[in-house]
Every structure is written in C-alpha cells, then in structure tokens.
Amino acid sequence: MTTKKNTTKSTSKSSSTKASPRRRAVKSAMYRPSDDDLIAFYRQMLLIRRFEEKAGQMYGMGLIGGFCHLYIGQEAVVTGVQTALKDGDKVISGYREHGHLLAVGADPKAVMAELTGRSGGVSQGKGGSMHMFDPARGFYGGHGIVGAQVALGTGLGFANKYRKTDNVSVAYFGDGAANQGQVYESFNMARIWNLPVIYIIENNQYAMGTSVSRSSSQVELFRRGESFNIEGKQVDGMNVLAVRGAMEEAVKICREGKGPAILEMKTYRYRGHSMSDPAKYRSKEEVKKMRAEHDPIDQVKEMILKAGVMDEAALKDVDKEMKSIISDAAAFAQECPEPELSELYTDVMA
Amino acid sequence: MAIEITMPALSPTMEEGTLATWLVKVGDTVASGDVLAEIETDKATMEVESIDDGVVAKILVEAGTDEVKVGTLIAILAEEGEDPNALDTPTKASSAPDNQGNTAEGAKAETLTEVTETAAQPKPAIVAEDVHIPDGTPMQNITVREALRDAMAEEMRLDPDVFVMGEEVAEYQGAYKVTQGLLDEFGSERVVDTPITEHGFAGLGAGAAFAGLKPVIEFMTFNFAMQAIDHIINSAAKTRYMSGGLVECPIVFRGPNGAASRVGAQHSQNYASWYANVPGLIVIAPYDAADNKGLLKAAIRNPNPVVFLENELMYGESFDVPDMEEYVVPIGKARTFREGTDVTIISYSITVGQALRAAEKLAEEGISAEVIDLRTIRPLDIDAVIESVKKTNRCVVAEEGWPQCSVASDISAQLMEQAFDWLDAPVTRVNSVDVPLPYAANLEKAAVVDADKIIAAAKAVCYEE
Ligand SMILES: Cc1ncc(C[n+]2csc(CCOP(=O)(O)OP(=O)(O)O)c2C)c(N)n1
Ligand SMILES: [Mg+2]
C-alpha cells in the first residue's frame, strides 16, 4: 500500500493543551485510503463496536464474570495501527484488549468464548477478559498489571532486533499507565539500543476516574520521550486515517533500525472504566459531544458516502452482517462447554 | 424481533439492585448507547444503556422498585419496523441461566449460590475477649467497608499526622468505596489521589513516615503492591534495624488481598505468607467488621510498618461492632471464634467464614471443631494455637492461597516443633490448588478453599470417613 502525501488540511484538529515552549508538535500526514481501505476500516471498527456492545450486554446478564473493560469509542486506534503492520510484527496490550484480538484477526467466537470462560476461548477459558493471547497472530496479551506491557513490549522489540529481522513490536498502553516507572526505564533502554518498538499511548483522557490533568505533570503525553531523545507525535485517535498515517511513519523509522517511536493517540472511551464504574467524574454532555462529533465509525461512514464507495443501504447490510457474526459468536460462547476439570492442572509448567 | 432489556449485573458480585429512575418512556425512540434507566447498587448509581436502536415498547419494572434481581426483564424495545403495540410480554422473565447452555447452567447456578452463601456470614459464638467492652455498650451493625472507613476517620480526627494516599481514594471515593467520605471531611491535603505509580507512592509514603508522618497507603489491590514490594520490604521493614533504631517507619499499607470473583490469575493472589516472611513487618489479615476496625486503628497507631490485608468479597458483609470511642484490638492475638473439643481449625481472613461453616456442619455429624482466627499473621499467636491443640490433639489449617511455604506450612512446622507430643494426627493443610487462579467458573470454584474441603480434612484427622 502506498502512502501519498495529504494535501488537504487535517480536519479534526485535536486540542493540545499548554503548548510546550520547547518543541512544536509535528503532525504526521493523513493516510490516503483506497476504496477498499475505507471499507476494510469500516468493517473492522464496526465488528469491534458490535462485539463490545454484545459483551456489555452479556456481562449484564451474568454470562461474563470478573472485570470487563470495553473498547467502545477507541476503535480507530487499533484499526489504524494494526493495518499498518505486517507478518512477524508483534503486539502487546493491557486488559482493554478485546478489540486488539479482533484486529489481529482472532475469531470473534474464540474471543467471546474466552469472556464466558469456555474451553473454546482464545486462552482456553483460563485467562478471561483481561488475559487473552494469540501468539500465532503476533498477539502477546492481555496484561492486567498496568504498565507491565510496556517493558514486555520492549522485550518483543529486542527479540526482533536480536534476530536481525525488520519486524517491529507495538506496545499499547493507557494515559494512566504512562505514569508507571517502568515505562521510562523502557524508553531509556529502547533508545540506547535503538529498538524497533512503537509505543502507542491510548490517551482516552481518564485512568479509571482520574483525568490526565490530575495525574500528569506533562499532559502532552507524546512529549514523555523527549528526555530520552525519542520522537513522539500526537495523533487524532478518533480518525483512523490520522492513526494510519502516523503509523506508516513510525513503522518506517523502526524498520530502518532508527526506533523506537511514541505515538500519543487522543481518543475517548464511551463507557465506564469497567462495567462497574458509575463514571461520575465526567459529564454526560462530554460523552455525548464526543460521540456526536468525533465518533470514529461515523467519520469513516461519512467518507464512504461522500466518496460514493457505498450507499446507505449497503452500509446497513454491512452492519447486519457484523451483527450476525457477533450473534453467532455469542451463541458459540454460551453453547461451548466449560474446560474439563483436569485442565485446572495443565499449563502451569512445561 | 423484540429486544429484551434485563436488569444488568454491573459488578462481579452484584445480585440485585434498585431500579431508581427511567429516563425513557413507552413510545420513545432510542439509539444504541442512549441511557434508558438508572439503577442503584450498594456501591453506586449506574446507568443502563440501550444496546440497540429501537422504540420503547414496554416498561415492566416501575421506577423506585427495590431488590430487582439481576436478569429480570425490565423493558422491551421494538426493533425498527416492528409495531411496539403488537409485542407480547413473555410470561416468564428471562434470567441469566435461561440463556445459558446446559453445562453452563449448573455451574452458574452454583456460583450464584456461593455468593448468596457468603452473603450470610456466620456469626461468632464467642466475642473477642481482648478488648474491654463496658457493659451496656450498644452494637452497630455495619459492613466491613464502613468499619475500615470509620477506623481511618477516627484516627485522622485524633492525629493530624495521619493521612491517606492511593489511587482513586479521594474524588472517586475509593475504587471499592472504602475511603468514602474521607475527602469531604479531611480535604485533599490529607486524602491524596495518586497517579498509577505504586512503586513511587509506596516509597514516598515510607519517606514521609521516616519524617514522622503516619501514612495510610492504599493499594487498589495487593496484586499491585508487587510493583512496590521493594519499598515495603527494603525501605519500610528494614530501616529501623539498619539505623540501629534511629529511624522508624510508622506506615500502614492496606488494601484488598486474595481472590475476588473471576478476576483471573493476575488479580487473585494472597500475599500473607510473602509479607509474613519479613522481619520488621507486622502483617494483619482480619475477618469480621469489628476486627477490621479495631485492628486498623491499632495498625495506624503502631510505630512499625504494617501490611494490612483486607478482602474484597468481605467488604459488603455486615457484622456487629461495639459502638465505643476506643475500640482498638491488640495486634498479635488470635481469637477463638468457636469452641470445640475434637479438632482445631485455624484460619484467617475470608476463610474464617468457611471454617465456621465447616464447623457447623461437622457439629451436625457429631464432630466438635474449635475455630481459631489468627487475625495477625506476624507476629503469629502460636501460643493460642498450641493451647487449642493441647485440647483437641488435631489440627487443620485452612488458607486461601497456595500451599508451598504458606502460613499453613509455617503453623504446621511450629506445631511439630512445639506440640508434637500433643498431636494424634498429622497437621493437615487445606490450601488453594497449586496453580495460578483460572478464570473459567468451574475451574475457579475447584481451585479455591471451601467448607467442604475443610470438612473433609477435619474428618480425615479425626480418622472418620
Ligand atoms: C499496577 C496496577 N495498578 C493499578 C491497577 C488498577 N487499574 C486497572 S486499570 C486502571 C486505570 C488505567 O488507566 P489507563 O492506563 O488510562 O487505561 P484505560 O483504562 O483508560 O484504558 C487501574 C488503576 C492495575 N491493574 N495495575
Ligand atoms: Mg485511560
């Protein structure tokens, strides 16, 4: 896929607070999508949205236990990032990772069955919502400890370099996770050894109930690599073309052995932190405004209609198709048996 | 097809809630994501969002209804193109198990009973004798959550050096609502929200304690204290000794410990034996509300670093707590919860409830079990354990946590050293299965300690089937 330079001005400018006097923020060029790209983005994001809606509903029915963190609102990030990768690239994330599994191509049935704790789940029902793995597709979890994936992802990048491949690794983490010490230990190592790691900060503006401004001395998280001499960029994470455009550049840098790179994705989660979060720390208006004005799926939908790639009826058919994939997944996740009791003792050690 | 809206479960432990308000009425068109209703649980008010586009056809549970069980049908939406008036109300309200496959149904039902069972915690036959409770002291029935909050609030009123710090402790009122109300009363200088930086704020807390303050550091759960364990052990526990007694570290590290409900391997660990291994630390793991209150107050006043292990599943449980000003429970003393003559069951934290339940069932079968709650793990009240074993000559130690190098292992070793001649059977450990905690409901249930496993062990040491 070729990336042509975008000539039109970026439409949705993300608000950058307190511009630093040190360095001006540089934006990447928007990705110029083909018709097929647009359709693929739309399908991918809609699949994740419908999946998560169903998961929320099934949680409410008591079919999913424990914690369940939904990705609704953030679909453009994983979609833009994953489509810029190639075979052999490795990916790691936190506990809000259902969408990441779907974006690496995991079967929605297996992802949903993990949520219900069944033998057909991606982790055989042993991991649950927060601990899903699919190494065959380059996905290394699914980590419940905030920040852990940053050091681990740096290690995945180290392995790529060690083996002398041009593969990259991607470590997704939140704005809250960005305050863990190991993030900066990782940044430092990644720079001194020029590791091919792309750090994707999914800045959805809240860590549980704590807004970025309450937890961070530097709220422009893309600048967090400055003292390690790692270039960072801020990206409109609600716009899949902006995400993909920024990724094209970051991937190039890393494949050429000049990594790491930091991309701060300004995004938003529509739902509470987990299913049990009453979300009193933000106003309903704030959520409504985001949904109405920045929804990643609506944005692509508009592009598709405007470019005449599909009409309303065809888009509706896509939605129907996604809903049916998800309802099959939900049925599978409920019909599939629980793991055999003997599985309790397996996989502890080799 | 009509879209059925059921009373949702909003947390791993929620069973019922109040349907507070409807934000839509029959005939309204709603889109996916619109808020339909607000429901209240013991912890919070939450919104029920529509999961689909449609028209509200029927509202089946009125606003203001209490105790609406999770899974109860509360409304029906008509899908686009459907006639809302033509929809039938299903005669049977659909509930979670109805939507499950057969295998799952059994398992889910069991999980639900388990939760219900925990809801009614066995009451102690014997009240702690180690606090002087004046005659006529009234009792307040409060939850463990409230008991902990009251302990902190009382100590903060008494001592301006006491402050609370941790993730979401202030504005959010605590991730598990344990610090509810503290920000309002004491302000943001004494109730401090931190970034997600456990290693940093545990160290900061230890440093502030070196300087004479009395920090109460909350870990959202003890699983995350692993990020900070270096400061708990290397900075807090050892400084008094290394400085030849010149510097002390009066700090409390507290938060929920152990398995909750289906939160998986990384969020379900019991750290009692880890910290109990460390000289210089006090380790407390109480069971009921009175002990949670009285021991937390003692911990805050203690000049040593204290690791205070709570249990999330116990937060909502209610117990009687003496309503008196100075309810401080001494650290380092076990408590006999139930007297018996045939076998001693030792445990701590949530497992005390299982032990009491086991003792009740054993009594029905003619076996008289004495139940001892350790309360403090370090220093360990081994004398109380030995005293009991001298009477019963048999001992089972029940602990939710892995067996190797556990608290149970240590008690077993100490009994062998100090009470060998009094034992008529090998001391038996009842621990969680020696695997990381699985997520699947059936596997999780099989992995943790329950009353039946304790009963089986008690019968075995009594040489009964
Ligand atoms: C080390 C650690 N501390 C605390 C937690 C509890 N916790 C889980 S998610 C979370 C908030 C993380 O926020 P952010 O990194 O912004 O990610 P988001 O949830 O917004 O995707 C917290 C505090 C944890 N899982 N691990
Ligand atoms: Mg966040």
Side-chain angles (χ1 to χ4, degrees):
Chain A
M1 252 170 271
T2 50
T3 320
K4 282 178 233 149
K5 223 181 163 166
N6 185 23
T7 41
T8 52
K9 241 173 72 190
S10 151
T11 41
S12 55
K13 212 168 127 210
S14 23
S15 59
S16 52
T17 16
K18 287 186 237 164
S20 164
R22 282 173 294 168
R23 235 185 265 178
R24 283 237 321 279
V26 192
K27 299 255 182 236
S28 299
M30 286 274 177
Y31 180 67
R32 294 285 290 273
S34 67
D35 290 358
D36 286 348
D37 283 338
L38 282 180
I39 296 171
F41 293 153
Y42 184 70
R43 291 176 66 91
Q44 180 67 76
M45 291 196 284
L46 203 56
L47 182 75
I48 297 173
R49 174 81 46 103
R50 297 295 175 236
F51 181 96
E52 292 291 66
E53 285 169 351
K54 194 72 179 177
Q57 186 190 357
M58 286 171 62
Y59 189 94
M61 288 158 67
L63 295 166
I64 295 171
F67 294 130
C68 186
H69 309 88
L70 303 181
Y71 197 62
I72 299 177
Q74 300 180 214
E75 296 92 344
V77 177
V78 84
T79 302
V81 170
Q82 290 305 132
T83 52
L85 298 180
K86 68 172 189 181
D87 272 359
D89 292 340
K90 295 181 169 60
V91 180
I92 194 163
S93 180
Y95 46 82
R96 196 182 298 285
E97 90 286 30
H98 311 162
H100 301 68
L101 266 293
L102 296 174
V104 300
D107 183 349
K109 285 185 174 147
V111 182
M112 200 65 99
E114 190 58 38
L115 295 181
T116 53
R118 304 304 168 89
S119 55
V122 276
S123 301
Q124 274 78 53
K126 287 169 140 179
S129 166
M130 299 191 286
H131 309 303
M132 303 203 198
F133 295 81
D134 195 345
R137 294 187 172 81
F139 189 75
Y140 288 82
H143 297 270
I145 301 302
V146 168
Q149 72 271 37
V150 182
L152 296 168
T154 307
L156 293 172
F158 182 90
N160 287 334
K161 181 161 187 201
Y162 190 89
R163 296 226 166 91
K164 304 195 165 38
T165 69
D166 73 343
N167 278 117
V168 303
S169 86
V170 175
Y172 292 89
F173 57 103
D175 47 283
N179 293 317
Q180 285 286 33
Q182 60 181 313
V183 172
Y184 301 94
E185 300 177 26
S186 299
F187 283 0
N188 190 40
M189 290 187 285
R191 172 79 294 158
I192 58 181
W193 300 320
N194 293 334
L195 302 181
V197 187
I198 302 168
Y199 297 102
I200 301 289
I201 307 177
E202 296 201 59
N203 181 358
N204 59 13
Q205 308 180 36
Y206 295 91
M208 226 169 234
T210 306
S211 64
V212 173
S213 62
R214 289 210 300 127
S215 66
S216 301
S217 48
Q218 171 54 275
V219 297
E220 296 193 312
L221 301 180
F222 69 96
R223 296 190 187 279
R224 290 289 185 92
E226 279 178 0
S227 55
F228 303 94
N229 296 319
I230 304 175
E231 185 170 7
K233 289 209 165 125
Q234 192 176 61
V235 183
D236 176 1
M238 302 300 276
N239 181 335
V240 69
L241 303 186
V243 174
R244 176 67 184 267
M247 262 308 273
E248 293 286 332
E249 255 178 68
V251 167
K252 185 165 178 284
I253 289 172
C254 286
R255 294 213 200 284
E256 285 170 355
K258 297 179 200 142
I262 295 173
L263 297 179
E264 178 196 3
M265 303 291 176
K266 294 277 275 185
T267 180
Y268 201 77
R269 67 167 154 70
Y270 294 174
R271 301 292 185 96
H273 167 74
S274 67
M275 293 301 296
S276 25
D277 170 19
K280 290 273 162 64
Y281 43 80
R282 61 183 190 191
S283 68
K284 282 176 200 159
E285 286 64 45
E286 179 182 309
V287 184
K288 259 200 190 135
K289 200 168 145 64
M290 264 291 171
R291 292 187 85 125
E293 295 171 15
H294 298 279
D295 187 75
I297 299 177
D298 285 350
Q299 289 193 47
V300 172
K301 197 171 165 181
E302 252 169 60
M303 294 175 206
I304 289 176
L305 289 172
K306 217 164 150 191
V309 180
M310 278 187 181
D311 61 12
E312 285 275 9
L315 287 168
K316 255 212 164 117
D317 285 343
V318 174
D319 195 13
K320 278 215 183 100
E321 185 190 340
M322 294 305 141
K323 277 187 173 158
S324 112
I325 293 172
I326 297 308
S327 92
D328 287 351
F332 175 79
Q334 292 170 67
E335 284 154 15
C336 179
E338 290 185 303
E340 295 287 336
L341 268 182
S342 58
E343 285 297 321
L344 181 56
Y345 308 94
T346 59
D347 306 322
V348 179
M349 293 184 76
Chain B
M1 230 188 63
I3 303 152
E4 300 185 354
I5 310 284
T6 54
M7 184 73 171
L10 298 167
S11 76
T13 45
M14 173 175 165
E15 286 170 64
E16 57 181 36
T18 300
L19 208 164
T21 39
W22 279 106
L23 301 169
V24 293
K25 54 184 188 318
V26 172
D28 285 359
T29 302
V30 294
S32 155
D34 286 355
V35 180
L36 301 177
E38 284 185 348
I39 61 177
E40 279 165 15
T41 68
D42 59 337
K43 277 189 265 182
T45 305
M46 307 271 305
E47 291 165 349
V48 182
E49 286 174 12
S50 177
I51 40 103
D52 233 312
D53 302 344
V55 175
V56 181
K58 288 200 167 71
I59 287 181
L60 300 164
V61 176
E62 265 176 62
T65 312
D66 287 329
E67 295 174 14
V68 182
K69 292 258 176 303
V70 164
T72 309
L73 192 59
I74 56 173
I76 297 178
L77 300 186
E79 256 186 305
E80 202 177 310
E82 234 176 358
D83 176 8
N85 299 316
L87 292 175
D88 282 337
T89 311
T91 40
K92 192 167 63 73
S94 67
S95 65
D98 289 347
N99 293 302
Q100 302 214 327
N102 281 339
T103 27
E105 196 169 321
K108 189 66 201 176
E110 269 163 20
T111 332
L112 288 175
T113 353
E114 259 235 320
V115 180
T116 330
E117 228 183 286
T118 6
Q121 292 296 330
K123 292 289 174 317
I126 298 169
V127 178
E129 315 105 59
D130 41 24
V131 192
H132 176 67
I133 303 165
D135 281 348
T137 303
M139 289 283 167
Q140 16 163 216
N141 195 261
I142 58 173
T143 61
V144 168
R145 177 182 286 122
E146 291 162 332
L148 290 163
R149 193 261 327 271
D150 290 353
M152 285 186 277
E154 287 176 20
E155 294 308 302
M156 289 176 83
R157 281 174 209 134
L158 291 172
D159 185 346
D161 285 340
V162 178
F163 69 94
V164 174
M165 179 178 265
E167 292 159 20
E168 310 290 354
V169 296
E171 295 196 8
Y172 199 79
Q173 310 290 324
Y176 297 100
K177 301 286 171 273
V178 174
T179 51
Q180 192 143 35
L182 294 185
L183 174 67
D184 283 350
E185 181 174 352
F186 301 102
S188 57
E189 274 175 27
R190 297 182 70 193
V191 185
V192 187
D193 276 331
T194 63
I196 309 171
T197 53
E198 290 85 3
H199 191 207
F201 67 75
L204 183 155
F210 290 172
L213 296 183
K214 291 174 185 149
V216 176
I217 300 294
E218 174 175 306
F219 292 114
M220 196 172 282
T221 80
F222 260 91
N223 303 289
F224 316 142
M226 275 208 281
Q227 306 286 313
I229 200 165
D230 178 62
H231 278 306
I232 301 174
I233 295 175
N234 269 325
S235 308
K238 297 176 183 171
T239 295
R240 179 187 298 276
Y241 193 81
M242 295 189 300
S243 67
L246 292 179
V247 180
E248 60 178 29
C249 190
I251 188 168
V252 176
F253 299 104
R254 53 154 289 272
N257 172 61
S261 174
R262 305 209 42 211
V263 291
Q266 291 185 331
H267 282 62
S268 305
Q269 202 170 320
N270 175 2
Y271 292 91
S273 67
W274 290 46
Y275 293 113
N277 187 243
V278 182
L281 284 183
I282 287 171
V283 183
I284 299 173
Y287 166 64
D288 70 4
D291 281 351
N292 269 279
K293 180 174 181 189
L295 282 163
L296 184 54
K297 283 169 72 77
I300 294 171
R301 293 177 187 196
N302 195 283
N304 298 292
V306 179
V307 171
F308 194 91
L309 305 170
E310 300 157 11
N311 190 291
E312 189 205 321
L313 296 176
M314 294 299 296
Y315 280 154
E317 303 303 330
S318 298
F319 297 89
D320 281 346
V321 177
D323 190 4
M324 54 190 268
E325 225 165 80
E326 280 291 277
Y327 190 73
V328 184
V329 173
I331 291 169
K333 290 193 75 178
R335 170 175 179 188
T336 307
F337 247 92
R338 180 187 172 112
E339 284 187 334
T341 51
D342 297 333
V343 56
T344 300
I345 304 174
I346 313 279
S347 65
Y348 61 92
S349 188
I350 190 167
T351 316
V352 173
Q354 307 283 16
L356 290 171
R357 236 166 264 133
E360 268 165 35
K361 287 197 190 147
L362 286 164
E364 287 164 20
E365 299 182 41
I367 296 174
S368 159
E370 179 147 304
V371 175
I372 293 188
D373 174 4
L374 293 171
R375 302 203 281 188
T376 303
I377 313 299
R378 183 186 186 99
L380 189 70
D381 190 357
I382 194 69
D383 292 346
V385 175
I386 291 170
E387 272 317 301
S388 175
V389 168
K390 281 183 179 171
K391 187 167 72 172
T392 63
N393 311 112
R394 296 157 207 278
C395 185
V396 168
V397 194
E399 172 181 28
E400 183 229 286
W402 295 314
Q404 188 166 346
C405 301
S406 59
V407 173
S409 301
D410 193 72
I411 289 176
S412 173
Q414 293 206 47
L415 283 175
M416 193 172 70
E417 286 169 357
Q418 300 182 51
F420 188 73
D421 292 337
W422 297 93
L423 288 167
D424 286 346
V427 177
T428 300
R429 298 172 300 162
V430 180
N431 282 91
S432 309
V433 174
D434 197 16
V435 301
L437 201 71
Y439 168 74
N442 63 331
L443 299 187
E444 185 186 68
K445 189 174 180 332
V448 298
V449 173
D450 59 22
D452 287 343
K453 291 179 183 172
I454 300 174
I455 292 169
K459 285 184 179 171
V461 297
C462 293
Y463 303 114
E464 291 199 20
E465 275 303 298

